[in-house]
Amino acid sequence: MAGALPVGDPAPADGRLPRDLPIDPATDLGVYLHVPFCRVRCGYCDFNTYTSEELRGARQDEYADVLLREVALARDVLAEAGALRPAQTVFFGGGTPTLLPAGDLARMLEGVRGAFGIADGAEITVEANPDTVTAAVAEELARAGVTRMSVGMQSAVPHVLAALDRTHTPSNVRTAVEAGRSVGLDVSVDLIYGAPGESIDDWRASLEAALALEPDHISAYALIIEDGTKLARQIRRGEVPAPDDDLQADMYELADRMLADAGFAWYEVSNWARGDGRRSRHNLAYWRGADWWGFGPGAHSHVAGLRWWNVKHPAAYAQRLAAGESPAAGRERPDAAAQQLERVLLHSRIREGLAIDALPDDARRAVAGLIADGLIEPGAALRGRIVLTLRGRLLADAVVRALTD
């Protein structure tokens, strides 16, 4: 299970938004649907997920009905605030959404459609574990309106999958991708690099295997060791080595070269797509600061600068909604300085970059030093934008520190 929730102000039991919130109804609205169930907890994962032994009073077979209560509450809250509008994107994340019957996911999606409306041409994504996707599952999801499947491949090398506690086999990844393709879904595959014992040749093999699947989109994330995870404990005890920053940088650069050579365009630090039309519109909405409502235990939401987050455990989440109360545990309204910090962190990650002239004087002067250190693409800076290149880990944090000190 994930760590503690953020510290913020109390959230009202009815979930109402502040009356003075500067809502712009022209801002895109995204919907995130969190499915917090997993068969096995991966050693590196600190997401808000639960195995069957950890549910303690919550039931998977009741989850869709519980979440739809929050959808109904959200509709009333947004309608009262004048912020109700069709969803431009819907994203089922987890956990493992495909642990639920496809019919439950379809019913949740229909609930969103009935409450908010779903825009014509909306992107609707389901994250999928390769072990849980069959042709029948993919067909039912497509019939429900899903347009995109994101398959958790992580690696094509058995010993790397074992180090990550992944239970699927490389052949299951191909089965899942082919199932999605057969019903017309766009398909993305997710990779992780820098696992204990993974060599540069292992990583090259995984990239080659991912490209051989001919997906529309590839995400490649550096393994980060999160406090409280099994992997963090193993590293602390000296059982496995910690990730090597230089090796991870080499792996990133190899991925960027191989994906570019295969026709994938980089558009965010960890994401590549076959053309602009295959980018993850839902994730871009996060990075660009659009509005979204996150449904489910531990889910986070954002509307017009207001952020809030739900109670973590599925049982507590269900109890709040059964009592007719909002499941929100707390909320915050960042001030102008905090919002600027977020813009630096998020906009510098995407291809469009961060407008230098939007920064204060001290921050603009810091840009020259970052270019000299190779942390910002010089050509982008000359065009009046900041775009990160990746040399080592978490360079977005380095940019934030340099631009906000």
Side-chain angles (χ1 to χ4, degrees):
M1 290 171 279
L5 288 169
V7 176
D9 299 323
D14 59 12
R16 286 180 175 165
L17 304 178
R19 293 189 180 278
D20 64 340
L21 203 62
I23 294 170
D24 180 359
T27 299
D28 283 353
L29 176 69
V31 168
Y32 174 77
L33 302 168
H34 187 61
V35 178
F37 309 120
C38 283
R39 285 179 179 162
V40 176
R41 177 169 304 286
C42 297
Y44 62 90
C45 179
D46 78 331
F47 293 168
N48 191 46
T49 64
Y50 301 81
T51 61
S52 58
E53 294 80 13
E54 298 167 332
L55 286 178
R56 301 191 311 275
R59 292 176 49 175
Q60 287 186 205
D61 60 350
E62 296 176 349
Y63 184 71
D65 290 329
V66 173
L67 183 139
L68 287 173
R69 292 178 189 146
E70 189 185 1
V71 170
L73 180 147
R75 187 208 177 281
D76 292 344
V77 167
L78 292 178
E80 180 183 321
L84 191 63
R85 65 214 110 133
Q88 300 294 325
T89 62
V90 180
F91 195 103
F92 289 85
T96 309
T98 45
L99 264 186
L100 292 181
D104 281 6
L105 301 180
R107 197 150 50 84
M108 292 158 66
L109 183 58
E110 188 57 33
V112 170
R113 183 177 285 110
F116 303 104
I118 295 178
D120 291 342
E123 175 193 271
I124 302 173
T125 303
V126 172
E127 286 187 337
N129 183 304
D131 287 340
T132 60
V133 178
T134 64
V137 167
E139 183 176 0
E140 189 165 359
L141 292 175
R143 280 202 309 268
V146 172
T147 64
R148 188 172 179 272
M149 180 182 294
S150 181
V151 178
M153 175 179 175
Q154 317 313 353
S155 175
V157 179
H159 79 83
V160 176
L161 290 172
L164 295 171
D165 290 326
R166 300 294 292 186
T167 59
H168 69 266
T169 64
S171 63
N172 286 355
V173 175
R174 177 167 291 281
T175 298
V177 170
E178 290 176 350
R181 283 245 182 255
S182 70
V183 294
L185 300 183
D186 286 350
V187 177
S188 175
V189 296
D190 290 352
L191 298 171
I192 293 177
Y193 58 90
E198 183 178 28
S199 68
I200 194 76
D201 288 336
D202 291 332
W203 176 233
R204 182 180 289 104
S206 291
L207 289 166
E208 290 171 347
L211 289 170
L213 296 171
E214 299 184 342
D216 305 291
H217 182 282
I218 292 178
S219 299
Y221 300 104
L223 178 66
I224 296 175
I225 307 304
E226 303 288 358
D227 290 341
T229 61
K230 172 186 171 183
L231 189 53
R233 293 190 294 272
Q234 289 175 315
I235 290 172
R236 189 168 58 248
R237 293 192 297 259
E239 296 170 3
V240 298
D244 182 300
D245 290 354
D246 290 335
L247 177 58
Q248 284 191 329
D250 291 342
M251 289 175 165
Y252 179 89
E253 291 179 338
L254 176 62
D256 195 40
R257 289 195 302 272
M258 290 180 63
L259 294 175
D261 289 347
F264 285 80
W266 172 88
Y267 72 95
E268 191 272 341
V269 166
S270 300
N271 289 276
W272 293 258
R274 288 190 187 275
D276 291 353
R278 296 294 188 262
R279 297 178 176 188
S280 170
R281 289 159 46 195
H282 185 84
N283 286 338
L284 277 171
Y286 292 150
W287 297 318
R288 291 170 174 164
D291 291 345
W292 70 88
W293 193 302
F295 296 91
H300 288 234
S301 302
H302 168 263
V303 172
L306 180 74
R307 301 182 182 280
W308 67 94
W309 44 90
N310 287 347
V311 293
K312 285 179 52 180
H313 197 278
Y317 174 77
Q319 289 164 6
R320 290 275 191 102
L321 289 164
E325 296 179 355
S326 165
R331 70 187 190 185
E332 65 180 1
R333 197 166 175 179
D335 60 19
Q339 290 180 37
Q340 177 173 284
L341 192 70
E342 278 194 0
R343 281 194 296 273
V344 172
L345 178 62
L346 296 176
H347 287 206
S348 62
R349 295 180 65 88
I350 59 178
R351 192 174 191 89
E352 290 85 344
L354 176 73
I356 295 173
D357 61 9
L359 299 171
D361 291 343
D362 289 348
R364 286 199 291 268
R365 285 193 290 271
V367 169
L370 290 168
I371 294 171
D373 291 340
L375 301 183
I376 295 175
E377 179 186 322
L382 292 173
R383 294 192 298 274
R385 317 293 290 183
I386 298 174
V387 179
L388 291 183
T389 59
L390 194 66
R391 301 290 185 273
R393 296 174 61 214
L394 298 179
L395 291 187
D397 287 349
V399 172
V400 168
R401 288 193 297 272
L403 299 183
T404 57
D405 282 347

